[in-house]
Amino acid sequence: MSSTQKTFGSVSEVVRSIRANTNPGEKMRRYDAWADTYEQDLSILDYHAPSLVTDIISSHFTGDCEAAVVLDVACGTGLVAKQMKHAGFVHFVGIDGSALMLEEAKKKELYQELKQCILVQEPLPVQSGSYDVVTICGALTVDHVAISVIRELCNACKPGGLICMTCRHGEDNLEYKAALEREHKQMEEEGLWSCVAVTEVKNWSRSVTDAGGSYISGSIYLYKKL
């Protein structure tokens, strides 16, 4: 089926099949198969988190955007870097588990480096304290990445740098969201970072579990590495 023929229902089916697969290798193979129509399909879901993440980061980043190095974790086809480029950022390192998603990201010619890594199963292939901004957009869900990865994100960030994370509010993800926020708080209490902003977005994206495509909400979390 070509991207022009796709419907909300067919795109929802793709997303549900990926979420339902618990084998990381097979999940990445399904992302590989999705890579060439991924961006068009996300537009059908009215998913605009990359632009929201960019807005939040841009409103709080006080350094030199052109000098800053951004680590884009779970970068997919490069949607976050594309938006951040418009905001003045120019140095990007991308990490994703899908080889073909990385191939699509490479075509954008935005990343100085792209690395393949299945999060949590493998350590982030980066040096500690190397990045001015660290992002993870869309991957912090019960069916994708364990919450423990956020400590790796914090570790990769420079002191004083920003870590930006997103989390959807679908019913299947509410328990994960609560656990994620508990870990955020625990890391604050440990003196690893401080909360800069938490933004709730009402119309995060259309729900793939609702045949009518009603909207779910989502959150954007911004923390500063101490």
Side-chain angles (χ1 to χ4, degrees):
M1 180 181 290
S2 71
S3 60
T4 57
Q5 296 172 314
K6 284 194 173 181
T7 64
F8 172 74
S10 64
V11 174
S12 296
E13 185 177 350
V14 170
V15 177
R16 289 196 302 270
S17 72
I18 291 173
R19 289 181 180 175
N21 197 295
T22 58
N23 181 283
E26 178 59 29
K27 191 184 289 286
M28 290 306 107
R29 285 188 285 273
R30 295 193 182 198
Y31 269 113
D32 284 344
W34 193 20
D36 62 341
T37 62
Y38 177 76
E39 294 187 21
Q40 300 96 311
D41 292 354
L42 288 189
S43 68
I44 291 173
L45 298 179
D46 198 20
Y47 177 78
H48 46 93
S51 62
L52 297 173
V53 162
T54 299
D55 290 344
I56 293 294
I57 292 172
S58 297
S59 65
H60 291 280
F61 186 75
T62 58
D64 180 356
C65 293
E66 292 187 356
V69 182
V70 179
L71 178 63
D72 185 8
V73 180
C75 66
T77 60
L79 291 174
V80 169
K82 180 180 178 180
Q83 293 297 324
M84 291 189 70
K85 172 71 172 179
H86 294 318
F89 294 88
V90 296
H91 300 290
F92 301 98
V93 174
I95 294 175
D96 200 87
S98 163
L100 294 188
M101 286 283 187
L102 290 172
E103 285 297 318
E104 292 297 319
K106 185 177 180 180
K107 293 176 185 178
K108 289 185 170 59
E109 299 182 341
L110 295 173
Y111 294 91
Q112 284 69 55
E113 195 171 4
L114 288 163
K115 304 178 182 184
Q116 187 175 7
C117 171
I118 297 180
L119 300 177
V120 181
Q121 280 204 335
E122 307 168 78
L124 280 181
V126 298
Q127 290 187 340
S128 300
S130 299
Y131 299 92
D132 301 280
V133 178
V134 179
T135 71
I136 184 166
C137 181
L140 289 175
T141 70
V142 65
D143 40 53
H144 276 67
V145 177
I147 289 167
S148 59
V149 77
I150 67 173
R151 289 182 177 264
E152 293 187 71
L153 305 182
C154 183
N155 187 53
C157 192
K158 293 179 180 178
L162 297 177
I163 303 105
C164 189
M165 302 155 280
T166 71
C167 187
R168 61 180 172 85
H169 295 182
E171 287 188 11
D172 63 321
N173 209 47
L174 294 181
E175 185 175 338
Y176 179 98
K177 173 181 176 289
L180 178 67
E181 292 177 352
R182 286 194 297 272
E183 184 69 352
H184 287 167
K185 185 66 175 176
Q186 177 63 35
M187 290 172 65
E188 278 192 275
E189 292 174 355
E190 292 175 20
L192 298 176
W193 63 14
S194 62
C195 183
V196 177
V198 178
T199 303
E200 293 201 0
V201 180
K202 184 177 180 181
N203 292 333
W204 184 255
S205 69
R206 298 174 72 186
S207 171
V208 301
T209 60
D210 177 7
S214 63
Y215 282 82
I216 60 170
S217 55
S219 291
I220 303 171
Y221 307 95
L222 189 68
Y223 280 79
K224 182 177 181 179
K225 170 78 172 283
L226 298 178

